[in-house]
Amino acid sequence: MKTSDFYYDLPQELIAQTPIEPRDSSRMLAYCKESGKIEHRHFFDIIDYLKSGDVLVINNTKVIPARIFATRLPRTDKTVEKNTEVLLLKRKEYDVWECITRPAKKLKIGTKLDFQAMTGEVVGFGEEGIRYIKFQFEGVFENILEEIGNMPLPPYITQKLEDKSRYQTVYGKIDGSAAAPTAGLHFTPQLLEKIESMGVKIAKVLLHVGLGTFRPVKEDDLLNHKMHSEYYEIDDINAKIINDALQDGRRVICVGTTSVRVVESASDDSGFVKAQKGNTSIFIYPGYKFKVVKGLITNFHLPESTLIMLVSAFIGRQETLNLYKTAVEERYRFFSFGDAMMIV
């Protein structure tokens, strides 16, 4: 299977640059797997597609202001300085982070970085330009990030985000992501309250979004693509919520591809999930047999990305491309701040 099999044409003007207000007023393409029926609605209409007993699985990760900038001193500590951009991906130790840097090639082991509020030193290399940076700071690292960090918006968003909270879900609780689980951006507290009042149960899982989610597929043969691992958790309480639904034949509907990756990573051969924590590098593409997920709420993803491959695994490659073609024709907004698709 070729990566190019998941390409589609997208007009540049359909890439959403700013979020819609209010959150739940974004458009929603609703697709029924069984009938093939398509409806064009708004996200607040999601209640028409849910029913009592459904379980909605959400990822309660929170985006950290992970993009920081430094001046770089040569190893001889002369006065020549150059700008360096650092994107924090994953905490490896208390003071050591896995990072993407620009430029990368000139950052050798031992290179010192000055972030003004703290300093850093390159202490190791990883695959595909990854650098491990050891930070030196006084106080609480997260507090320093709040002062000097920027929200790690994707490169296709060129407009400044005025309100940082709009790149967070309203239910995000646990710091650690380098990108937002964007399907969840459409929910408001009021909509969630209405959904729960219908008898829909909410299961909370955690996946810290990192390189594995947004790293492009560079291999012609997608089977040669290696997913970067990301940290995930599911506890006993939320595993039971999901397993009870599976036992009763009730639907488990995941909000976003990250939630899908958690429950499918945590599921065993019997089709139930087990409470656990660790790192997952699961790569879901057509041919994958889903053990848990019966429905999916997602955004419209980049061509040839692992995300559109996951959706294709759920409903079929050609059907996915047909839905995307429809979304383009109907002028839906695409990517992180774009519109939603609900598949049940």
Side-chain angles (χ1 to χ4, degrees), residues 121-332:
E121 179 180 348
V122 178
V123 294
F125 293 165
E127 296 180 358
E128 299 207 9
I130 292 293
R131 295 292 186 270
Y132 295 98
I133 297 178
K134 183 181 179 68
F135 291 92
Q136 291 186 331
F137 53 90
E138 293 183 2
V140 179
F141 186 80
E142 287 75 12
N143 292 345
I144 297 172
L145 273 190
E146 285 295 329
E147 292 180 12
I148 69 171
N150 300 273
M151 294 304 280
L153 296 179
Y156 51 75
I157 295 178
T158 57
Q159 294 189 24
K160 183 179 179 181
L161 181 63
E162 297 298 334
D163 180 2
K164 287 185 178 181
S165 70
R166 288 301 276 108
Y167 197 57
Q168 302 278 15
T169 64
V170 296
Y171 49 74
K173 298 294 183 186
I174 304 173
D175 287 335
S177 277
T182 54
L185 296 179
H186 304 285
F187 287 93
T188 64
Q190 296 79 13
L191 182 58
L192 284 168
E193 184 177 338
K194 186 178 295 186
I195 288 170
E196 288 191 272
S197 70
M198 296 170 53
V200 176
K201 295 186 178 298
I202 306 293
K204 299 174 182 178
V205 300
L206 174 71
L207 184 137
H208 286 324
V209 185
L211 190 59
T213 295
F214 60 82
R215 174 188 176 196
V217 179
K218 297 180 180 179
E219 303 287 348
D220 291 333
D221 185 341
L222 69 87
L223 298 184
N224 293 327
H225 177 70
K226 183 180 178 183
M227 291 287 285
H228 199 77
S229 67
E230 295 166 309
Y231 181 80
Y232 76 101
E233 289 182 7
I234 179 169
D235 62 22
D236 289 309
I237 293 173
N238 290 287
K240 186 177 187 305
I241 293 173
I242 294 170
N243 287 332
D244 285 349
L246 295 171
Q247 185 75 45
D248 296 341
R250 293 181 279 117
R251 298 186 301 179
V252 175
I253 301 170
C254 283
V255 178
T257 58
T258 59
S259 297
V260 172
R261 295 181 68 226
V262 173
V263 298
E264 293 295 323
S265 295
S267 60
D268 57 24
D269 292 338
S270 67
F272 292 94
V273 300
K274 182 179 180 180
Q276 57 192 271
K277 61 178 67 175
N279 293 292
T280 180
S281 56
I282 189 172
F283 181 17
I284 298 176
Y285 53 87
Y288 179 85
K289 302 299 182 184
F290 288 86
K291 299 186 283 291
V292 177
V293 183
K294 296 297 184 284
L296 173 63
I297 299 165
T298 186
N299 279 21
F300 295 98
H301 305 295
L302 275 74
E304 301 182 337
S305 64
T306 61
L307 307 179
I308 194 172
M309 292 172 188
L310 185 151
V311 177
S312 297
F314 193 57
I315 59 173
R317 183 186 71 88
Q318 193 56 56
E319 191 55 52
T320 300
L321 293 177
N322 290 342
L323 291 175
Y324 272 58
K325 183 174 182 292
T326 298
V328 170
E329 291 171 349
E330 295 290 331
R331 310 296 289 177
Y332 276 76

